[in-house]
Structure formats: structure tokens, C-alpha cells
Amino acid sequence: MSTKLIVGNWKLNGGLSANQALLDGLRDGLGAVRCRAAVCVPHPYLAQVQLLLAGSPIVLGAQDVSAHTAGAYTGEVSASMLRDFGVRYCIVGHSERRQYHGESDELVALKAKQALAHGITPIVCVGESLAQREAGQTEAVVKRQLAAVIHENGHCISEIVVAYEPIWAVGTGITASPEQAQQVHAVLRAQIKAATAHAERVAILYGGSMNAANASDLLAQPDVDGGLIGGAALKAADFLTILRAASR
Ligand SMILES: O=C(CO)COP(=O)(O)O
């Protein structure tokens, strides 16, 4: 995976005018950016951001998708609806959804399946809690989470993106060291290689307090193919610095 991929996860942030200001700020600084880039926005803003990104190298993403195709599932948003708005990437299994919405490995795998069936690249998030890391369970946890997705989507597993997001690093300002990230990424890479002959197509992103100051060192690791960025994706200058670091 040579061209790095940087994805902004806006989470529950934004508004019509704030989105416009952020994207205006990004557009002005994109000249030197050669990596792949996406922003995953709250569902109500898909139409707005689709229009604002027209002609931009940044592509549109969503933060969640239903495991169902259609029907009596109040509040859900389907992959075909996302597709209607030009969505190219969809985060599935973010730790905040696993934690606050009780999403299981199996549900995450079905969400990835829906995305793939509609031509949307699922960004499958995996990651351990601090307690799991301290108990030496990191490798087992991330492998179990990814195994469920491979089990359900084996035939097209080379079409996914994986994001390693240690829960203790998400939104905490504590980042995994480049060595810690590389160690887990190598484990995930080996697992993907065992599942597909096209493992080189699968980008493995790091997420968890990646910012303008630490992005270069993380992205320099051989198995870190990009980043999934929360807080620093909400400030145009910071996100642009990360995009430039990924373009070197
Ligand atoms: O959860 C994340 C991206 O999905 C990371 O969030 P922060 O960059 O704010 O730690």
C-alpha cells in the first residue's frame, strides 16, 4: 500500500456553517497534498458535504451503516442510502459504537458486508482497552475483532480498510508510540495475508490522538498505511498538516 490514506472522523460535531468553514479551509491548502483523503461526516450533512466536496480530491465518508437493507428499522440508515449521496467509505465498529451501542463483532461484520455489497469501502475499527493491554490481551482482542469480519466477508476481504484504534488512545491525547502501533499493525497484516492473496490492497490505518505533531512518526512505520483522525480533523490547519505528512 504505497499511497497513504487519511480519514477524518468528525464524530458528533459540526453544523452547516462550521462544515462550510472547515471545508473552505481545507480546500485552500490542498495544493501539496498527494495522499488519499476522506471525511466521515454525520448523516444529516452528507448532502451538504457531497456538494462542497465536488471537484475536490477529498472523498465523502459516513460513520455508521445499518446491517439491514430496508424495512422496519427506525433510525437506521442503509448502505444504499449512503450510496445515493456518493459515500465511498463508511466506518464500522468504532469503539464508541461498540461501547455505547453494544455493537458485537458479528454485527460489525454484517455492517461491513452491507457496505461492501453497495460498493462502499468499510473502515473496520479494532482496538483493545487499557485493561486488555495491561492483561497482555491486545493481540487476541484485535485478531478476534478482525476474524469476525473476515469470516463474514472472506471473498472480498481485500476490499476493506482496517483501522487500529487502541481505546486508551481515542480522544485522550495519549497516542500509541510508533513502535506500539507498528507491532499491532504487523499482527493485523499477517492475519489479512492469511485470508487473501491481495493483502497488499488493504490499508491499515492508525487512529487515537493522531495529530499534526505526531503524524509523521506514526506514518513512517512500515505497516501504518494512514490515519483515522478525530479531534485534529476538526481544525483545517491540523488536518492539512497530517495530509501533508502523509504525502511525503
Ligand atoms: O476515534 C478516533 C477516530 O475514529 C480518534 O479520535 P481522536 O483523534 O480524537 O483521538
Side-chain angles (χ1 to χ4, degrees):
M1 183 56 55
S2 48
T3 311
K4 300 222 187 276
L5 171 62
I6 300 294
V7 180
N9 174 9
W10 290 4
K11 306 193 181 185
L12 184 55
N13 295 292
L16 289 173
S17 53
N19 301 344
Q20 171 111 42
L22 177 53
L23 293 172
D24 283 350
L26 289 179
R27 189 179 311 106
D28 293 343
L30 280 176
V33 170
R34 287 182 309 280
C35 66
R36 296 178 292 154
V39 287
C40 295
V41 310
H43 289 148
Y45 299 123
L46 288 172
Q48 179 206 16
V49 175
Q50 181 187 28
L51 280 177
L52 290 173
L53 289 179
S56 156
I58 301 177
V59 303
L60 183 60
Q63 299 173 18
D64 186 30
V65 64
S66 178
H68 303 285
T69 308
Y73 301 101
T74 301
E76 296 273 272
V77 172
S78 73
S80 70
M81 294 172 185
L82 298 180
R83 200 57 226 182
D84 278 345
F85 291 93
V87 166
R88 304 266 293 279
Y89 291 97
C90 183
I91 297 169
V92 297
H94 192 281
S95 59
E96 288 150 11
R97 295 213 58 90
R98 292 179 191 261
Q99 184 179 352
Y100 305 133
H101 301 271
E103 293 195 6
S104 65
D105 295 340
E106 292 69 30
L107 181 67
V108 172
L110 290 172
K111 290 184 170 198
K113 191 175 192 170
Q114 279 293 322
L116 287 165
H118 292 85
I120 295 169
T121 301
I123 300 174
V124 176
C125 298
V126 300
E128 82 288 1
S129 67
L130 185 58
Q132 288 166 329
R133 173 162 281 267
E134 287 174 350
Q137 296 168 350
T138 298
E139 199 171 307
V141 168
V142 300
K143 282 171 85 171
R144 188 202 73 222
Q145 291 171 330
L146 183 57
V149 175
I150 293 172
H151 177 74
E152 193 65 52
N153 300 279
H155 54 292
C156 43
I157 207 66
S158 63
E159 308 304 317
I160 73 168
V161 166
V162 177
Y164 170 53
E165 297 210 317
I167 296 169
W168 47 271
V170 170
T172 59
I174 301 165
T175 315
S177 68
E179 295 72 25
Q180 284 172 322
Q182 169 57 28
Q183 197 172 20
V184 178
H185 281 228
V187 167
L188 295 168
R189 180 84 69 203
Q191 191 177 6
I192 296 161
K193 273 192 180 147
T196 171
H198 305 291
E200 76 288 348
R201 286 195 206 151
V202 179
I204 307 177
L205 314 182
Y206 169 79
S209 300
M210 192 190 264
N211 58 38
N214 61 30
S216 289
D217 286 346
L218 286 158
L219 293 168
Q221 297 301 309
D223 287 304
V224 177
D225 302 318
L228 183 54
I229 322 295
L234 299 174
K235 296 183 205 121
D238 289 4
F239 197 56
L240 282 169
T241 301
I242 298 170
L243 290 168
R244 284 191 203 105
S247 300
R248 285 190 209 115

